[in-house]
Each structure stands twice: as structure tokens, then as C-alpha cells.
Amino acid sequence: MTDLLVDRFGRTHRDLRISLTDKCNLRCTYCMPAEGVPWIAKQNLLTTDEIERVGRVFADLGVVEARLTGGEPLLRPDAVEVVRRLAAIETERGRLRVSMTTNALGLAPVMDDLVDAGLERLNISIDTLDADRFHRLTRRNRLDDVLAGIAAARRSGLRPLKLNAVAMRGVNDDEFVDLLRFARDHDAQLRFIEQMPLDAGHTWSRAEMVGGEEILDRLSAAFTLEPIGERGSDPAELFVVDGGPTTVGVIASVSAPFCGSCDRVRITADGQLRNCLFARDESDLLGLLRGGGSDGDLTAMIRRCIGEKREGHGIDGPNFLQPDRPMSAIGG
């Protein structure tokens, strides 16, 4: 193994996020318009072989976990094969740990296949438990499919099973307690996420955002929450619920950023390397892969990209500009 991926602020990068597609079968109002957005051309998506090759290069640089994201990763026909290929890669800590973030619409039919392929963990997005509200929020009447996917994930035994809910004022802020009870009943860890400026329409407003402290205040009215303590590079601050074993997390990317411990690097579905979720610059891995670049060339590009990583995302700074790409195109 070569030297680890350490940036100029001393952060070691161990976590790789790979977007398998920018396409999604939901149209969440906080993510994209009803008609969708222009999709990446199929020929510009990373192939399975390219994803595996990049995964091996990153593993040689000290990465030990890869999370597959989208859009919706299960819309990619070879998603199970991608998991299988990546889970076979050896790292300094054993096999590469492969996880996935999904909306779970298509999860139930492939759950067993994903486990057999080596998937270790799932993050499932669910912002509301109300079918009508789900329809209004996502512009699709598919809550039953999400619930079926969560049930399949629970039966699979993959743990921790994490449920992600974006906290939105006037949309689901009256459901925080119900969502946590649902997670507890399904042996899952709920994680509330502050809404971030990554929407396609660039309409995000900090004034309307439900912050981490407000989320905790609302939960504390119904539960006893005890902070767990040191979280390392985990983006979520975790709390034990009513003495355990259930825990709940709050990802306060805006109000309490955790940039100082960030260990993540991202690759978009069209092979662009990003050193921060909010980065405005990208490095063209796809061009290098298809232009005959060697593994050494890939390594050099990755090191340059990590070397240019800023100290923080700067959302509170006067010069902050929202990324041109929405979350669906960047990958979570």
C-alpha cells in the first residue's frame, strides 16, 4: 500500500462515495423539479470495470469503505454486480466495506442478492410516514414500496440499519417523534439531516431550515436523549434514546459543521472526483480512465484533488456559492 490520502489539514480519507447514476424514481421537492433534470448520457457513466478499477486504486491509498449512492443506485441494472466487485477488493483492514444509500423503492426484490454480493450496510431515506404527504413531497405514490424495502432490510440482518430523514419546516417537522418511534420499532437508527443548499432550483433558505438544536428540542419533549460522546469522523451526533438500545443521530452539516474530521471523497456517476460535497471544482477521472491513464496517473490526480481540499465548506461565509450540480448529480 502507498502513503495514505492525507490533506494539508491532516485529515486522512478512508471513505469513498461512488454515485452509480444520477437518475431517480422520485422527484423530491427539495432535490429536483417535477420534470426532473437533464440526465447524464449513458455513455458518460462509469462502467462496472471502471468502478472496480477506481475502487482498487483507492483501496491502495487507504480507503476502507465505499458507499454507493445516486440518484437512486438501484436504478442501475448492474448494481448487485458493482457491490460484488467492490466487496472483493482487499484493503489494509480486510475486504472493502460496501454500503448503499437508497430510497428503497426497488430494494425488496434484490435484498437477498445484495447481501449475497457482500453488502454490509444500508441507509434508507424516509422523510414522512404519511402516504398523502409522501406523495406531495416526492410526487410519487410509492410509500408502500419504501416500507416494504425497510421490512426487507430489517429481515436481512444487516446492521446498523439507518433511516435518513431530511428535516423540513412545514413539511415533516410535526413527524419527528413518530419517525423516531417507527425507527425504534424497526430496529433501526434514525438520523435527521439538516436541509442543505444542494437543490436543483437553488431555492434553499437558511431562515427556513430546521436546525439540529430544534430537532433535539422536539425529540426531547417525548424521549430522554443522552449524548454518546466522541463521534470520530461520523457525520451524525448520536444520542441514546430512553436508556437504549435505540440511538438517534442528527447530521447538522449547516449549523454545526464537522468539516474538521471529514474523511470522505466523492465520485460522480460520470467519473468526476470531488473532495467536498459542496466543491465547485472537479477532477476528470473518467477522461483519464478512457484516455489511457495508468493507475499511477489516477493516483496522482486523486492526490492533487485531496491536496486542494478546503478547510471547510464555508456555507456561513460571504463568498459561499452553491454547487452548480444538485445532490442527485453529485451523489450523497
Side-chain angles (χ1 to χ4, degrees):
M1 192 184 75
T2 58
D3 292 337
L4 301 179
L5 279 176
V6 182
D7 67 16
R8 55 198 167 124
F9 301 101
R11 297 169 294 199
T12 301
H13 293 71
R14 297 280 196 177
D15 189 337
L16 175 63
R17 309 292 172 94
I18 305 173
S19 175
L20 297 188
T21 178
D22 61 327
K23 292 182 179 179
C24 189
N25 39 13
L26 297 179
R27 295 291 183 272
C28 296
T29 56
Y30 59 83
C31 185
M32 65 174 72
E35 66 275 14
V37 294
W39 306 122
I40 297 170
K42 184 176 180 180
Q43 66 268 23
N44 292 332
L45 296 176
L46 286 168
T47 67
T48 308
D49 288 344
E50 289 166 343
I51 291 172
E52 180 183 9
R53 182 182 173 193
V54 169
R56 292 187 182 280
V57 171
F58 269 99
D60 194 49
L61 291 169
V63 163
V64 295
E65 178 173 353
R67 179 181 303 174
L68 305 178
T69 68
E72 170 46 44
L74 291 178
L75 285 179
R76 183 161 168 147
D78 62 346
V80 173
E81 179 63 17
V82 172
V83 171
R84 191 181 313 280
R85 299 267 200 103
L86 292 177
I89 294 174
E90 290 290 341
T91 78
E92 63 175 58
R93 299 180 184 175
R95 295 288 179 90
L96 187 67
R97 303 188 64 190
V98 183
S99 58
M100 179 180 289
T101 296
T102 173
N103 62 28
L105 295 192
L107 180 59
V110 297
M111 187 71 252
D112 291 343
D113 293 335
L114 288 169
V115 174
D116 290 343
L119 190 73
E120 289 196 17
R121 189 164 53 78
L122 278 164
N123 287 30
I124 298 176
S125 301
I126 180 164
D127 298 322
T128 177
L129 299 170
D130 181 271
D132 290 337
R133 182 174 285 179
F134 183 93
H135 194 180
R136 291 194 301 271
L137 178 63
T138 68
R139 304 183 177 103
R140 300 291 186 271
N141 189 20
R142 303 289 300 274
L143 178 60
D144 286 346
D145 294 316
V146 177
L147 297 178
I150 291 172
R154 182 185 184 187
R155 291 192 300 269
S156 75
L158 297 186
R159 296 295 185 276
L161 170 59
K162 297 181 180 181
L163 306 182
N164 294 341
V166 177
M168 293 167 281
R169 192 174 307 284
V171 178
N172 67 350
D173 53 342
D174 59 342
E175 285 192 79
F176 292 172
V177 169
D178 291 338
L179 284 163
L180 181 48
R181 286 179 176 145
F182 174 86
R184 182 175 61 187
D185 292 345
H186 288 76
D187 194 21
Q189 178 195 104
L190 181 64
R191 306 196 311 170
F192 288 100
I193 303 172
E194 289 182 344
Q195 191 172 353
M196 295 178 284
L198 291 167
D199 59 302
H202 289 208
T203 60
W204 176 86
S205 166
R206 176 159 187 157
E208 292 299 313
M209 184 190 77
V210 183
E213 289 189 8
E214 183 177 346
I215 293 168
L216 292 173
D217 286 344
R218 289 175 180 256
L219 295 177
S220 295
F223 307 98
T224 299
L225 304 181
E226 300 235 357
I228 288 181
E230 182 61 39
R231 72 197 206 199
S233 60
D234 191 331
E237 183 179 6
L238 296 178
F239 299 83
V240 175
V241 180
D242 290 342
T246 300
T247 59
V248 64
V250 174
I251 300 177
S253 303
V254 178
S255 65
F258 40 86
C259 302
S261 60
C262 179
D263 67 345
R264 289 167 291 288
V265 56
R266 292 173 166 80
I267 302 176
T268 65
D270 56 350
Q272 302 304 302
L273 184 66
R274 300 174 64 90
N275 57 28
C276 175
L277 186 59
F278 296 95
R280 293 184 60 82
D281 297 318
E282 299 176 333
S283 300
D284 186 13
L285 279 179
L286 182 71
L288 192 57
L289 284 164
R290 297 185 182 177
S294 66
D295 286 359
D297 294 329
L298 294 174
T299 296
M301 177 176 284
I302 293 166
R303 289 196 182 282
R304 282 196 303 272
C305 180
I306 296 300
E308 294 168 357
K309 186 168 183 171
R310 297 182 302 168
E311 187 173 11
H313 54 51
I315 288 177
D316 288 329
N319 298 319
F320 175 78
L321 292 174
Q322 183 171 335
D324 293 328
R325 292 200 198 219
M327 176 69 99
S328 60
I330 296 172

